[in-house]
Amino acid sequence: MTSAAEHRRPPLSDSDAILNALPNPVLLVAPDGKIVDANMAAESFFEISTQFLRRQSLKELVPFGSPLLALIDQVRSIGSPVNEYKVDLGTPRIGGDRQVDLHVAPLTERPGHIVVMLQERTIADKMDRQLTHRSAARSVIALAAMLAHEIKNPLSGIRGAAQLLEQAASSEDRMLTRLICDEADRIVTLVDRMEVFGDDRPVVRGPVNIHSVLDHVKRLAQSGFARNVRFVEDYDPSLPPVLANQDQLIQVFLNLVKNAAEAVVDLGSDGEIQLTTAFRPGVRLSIPGKKSRVSLPLEFCVKDNGPGVPEDLLPNLFDPFVTTKPTGSGLGLALVAKIVGDHGGIIECESQPRKTVFRVLLPMFSTARKLEQSNGDDVPGPSSLASQD
């Protein structure tokens, strides 16, 4: 259904339609630095409409002293295109970490005018980093699985000896023997949780309605740990089913929502958790040895307005034993990352004060993909390369 505003919008020319079809932001900058035109991807990147962009100077949109401004001056002086890679255009308004590749070229038909194309690197870089971490984590998991049995045996002996001592101990000494038993039980529980990471059995997957999963998680949260938190839902009702295991997806999002609820607990009634779903057809995984790529078009986000994740923890947030909680074990997010990885998906976190986003990208269900999975051809290995088209 089209809105009234869309009905009033003049028809696009072929050139405008081509520009708006591009997934990368494109700007046309006048000699005085004013923005003359922009495509729809630029609107999304800067979170401003084209009509408002046309009233802005480029230096008002990018960080002070941005290399982009010097790059435009360089292109004007030499009259030929110039590229620059991994430039941070992040600002407090659009986000603090927006790394892009810059492609700047003169528009020969309009002297002094410069065309700027941005190619955002964030998603692809983060996916590459996570796949590298996943490979390293497998080595840690293998070591943990090997040690689990060896740790449990002496612990059972220690606990048994403490129970025997407790029978003849004084009341004061019984406190110590009880402490030994409790700590032995705690270590066994921790080892049991680590053993889950060594489970490499194939995941049984099928078509799952993600909105049913999120509604179930929301009801569980509101009846318990998130009773006083406001939930906001922004769903795309036209999403196709996700190729997943429903119970494991519930575990993933229950863990993410629980973390979000704990992050906003100090905000009282101002605490907010936002659940969003969207279709993002541009993200795919390249699998070594195969010409085809695994598409991850389904994006599910859990957002909160808490204080954010410390910047030094972000690169390793999904590794075992990394946590921001004083009493946390650091296994919750590691288990979430394992489940998402077992589904052939990606999870990443973007965080700044008052805005933390956990983003899960997963494949959608189709009969063809289901047949591929049954033949064992559909699970990306740890050396897979991530790309954004």
Side-chain angles (χ1 to χ4, degrees):
M1 180 178 293
T2 57
S3 65
E6 288 173 326
H7 281 302
R8 291 193 300 268
R9 187 177 298 165
L12 296 176
S13 66
D14 289 343
S15 58
D16 288 337
I18 292 171
L19 277 177
N20 285 331
L22 291 176
N24 299 323
V26 178
L27 301 171
L28 178 61
V29 183
D32 61 358
K34 294 286 186 179
I35 295 173
V36 177
D37 207 351
N39 67 350
M40 292 176 64
E43 289 184 345
S44 177
F45 181 87
F46 290 105
E47 299 180 2
I48 299 177
S49 68
T50 299
Q51 185 177 5
F52 190 76
L53 278 171
R54 288 171 178 158
R55 299 200 297 264
Q56 300 293 304
S57 172
L58 183 60
K59 65 181 180 181
E60 296 173 332
L61 296 177
V62 300
F64 177 77
S66 172
L68 174 56
L69 303 176
L71 205 62
I72 290 176
D73 291 338
Q74 181 182 351
V75 169
R76 282 204 180 98
S77 64
I78 65 177
S80 60
V82 176
N83 299 331
E84 185 83 14
Y85 300 96
K86 287 193 174 182
V87 175
D88 188 5
L89 292 186
T91 63
R93 186 175 54 77
I94 65 172
D97 182 16
R98 302 295 294 272
Q99 282 200 353
V100 299
D101 293 340
L102 298 174
H103 307 277
V104 184
L107 188 63
T108 54
E109 293 81 0
R110 300 178 67 175
H113 286 69
I114 302 295
V115 176
V116 178
M117 186 176 77
L118 316 176
Q119 185 169 7
E120 194 164 12
R121 300 184 55 93
T122 309
I123 295 177
D125 283 351
K126 287 184 176 181
M127 286 195 287
D128 282 339
R129 184 173 69 240
Q130 187 183 126
L131 290 169
T132 301
H133 289 166
R134 188 182 299 170
S135 178
R138 288 175 190 265
S139 300
V140 176
I141 290 165
L143 178 62
M146 180 182 67
L147 292 177
H149 180 72
E150 301 303 323
I151 291 175
K152 282 186 175 180
N153 281 341
L155 280 176
S156 62
I158 291 171
R159 195 182 194 286
Q163 288 176 320
L164 289 175
L165 288 173
E166 188 175 8
Q167 297 175 4
S170 64
S171 58
E172 291 183 359
D173 289 340
R174 283 197 190 98
M175 293 178 60
L176 297 176
T177 57
R178 177 46 45 194
L179 178 63
I180 294 173
C181 291
D182 291 344
E183 288 300 293
D185 290 341
R186 187 176 66 83
I187 296 173
V188 168
T189 300
L190 187 61
V191 170
D192 286 340
R193 294 186 67 186
M194 281 299 298
E195 284 186 313
V196 175
F197 292 91
D199 187 357
D200 289 329
R201 291 174 295 179
V203 179
V204 178
R205 295 187 286 170
V208 175
N209 184 329
I210 188 61
H211 299 131
S212 297
V213 169
L214 294 178
D215 287 342
H216 180 72
V217 168
K218 178 185 170 184
R219 286 196 300 270
L220 290 175
Q222 289 181 320
S223 64
F225 56 82
R227 187 177 292 109
N228 300 319
V229 178
R230 181 173 68 258
F231 279 80
V232 177
E233 296 162 302
D234 184 8
Y235 295 161
D236 180 351
S238 65
L239 281 190
V242 58
L243 179 62
N245 179 287
Q246 180 162 321
D247 290 341
Q248 290 195 354
L249 274 194
I250 290 174
Q251 186 175 4
V252 164
F253 287 101
L254 191 61
N255 197 306
L256 294 179
V257 169
K258 186 173 187 295
N259 285 349
E262 292 173 352
V264 302
V265 66
D266 292 336
L267 298 179
S269 60
D270 292 330
E272 179 180 291
I273 296 175
Q274 186 175 4
L275 306 176
T276 71
T277 64
F279 192 80
R280 308 292 188 199
V283 181
R284 297 189 289 172
L285 285 179
S286 298
I287 304 175
K290 294 186 66 177
K291 293 183 179 179
S292 62
R293 295 180 178 183
V294 178
S295 180
L296 304 177
L298 303 184
E299 178 188 274
F300 315 126
C301 296
V302 177
K303 308 176 184 180
D304 69 72
N305 61 342
V309 179
E311 188 174 350
D312 58 330
L313 289 186
L314 273 176
N316 305 304
L317 190 60
F318 297 99
D319 290 347
F321 306 114
V322 175
T323 180
T324 60
K325 306 172 189 176
T327 58
S329 63
L331 293 178
L333 286 178
L335 181 58
V336 164
K338 179 186 184 298
I339 293 173
V340 173
D342 289 345
H343 280 71
I346 290 291
I347 179 170
E348 262 300 344
C349 176
E350 297 176 4
S351 185
Q352 54 186 300
R354 305 289 290 178
K355 185 181 180 182
T356 297
V357 181
F358 282 89
R359 178 178 292 103
V360 178
L361 301 174
L362 287 174
M364 66 180 181
F365 174 83
S366 70
T367 305
R369 286 183 57 81
K370 187 64 177 177
L371 290 174
E372 284 183 6
Q373 185 198 6
S374 64
N375 292 329
D377 297 332
D378 193 34
V379 180
S383 60
S384 299
L385 302 175
S387 69
Q388 184 182 19
D389 298 334

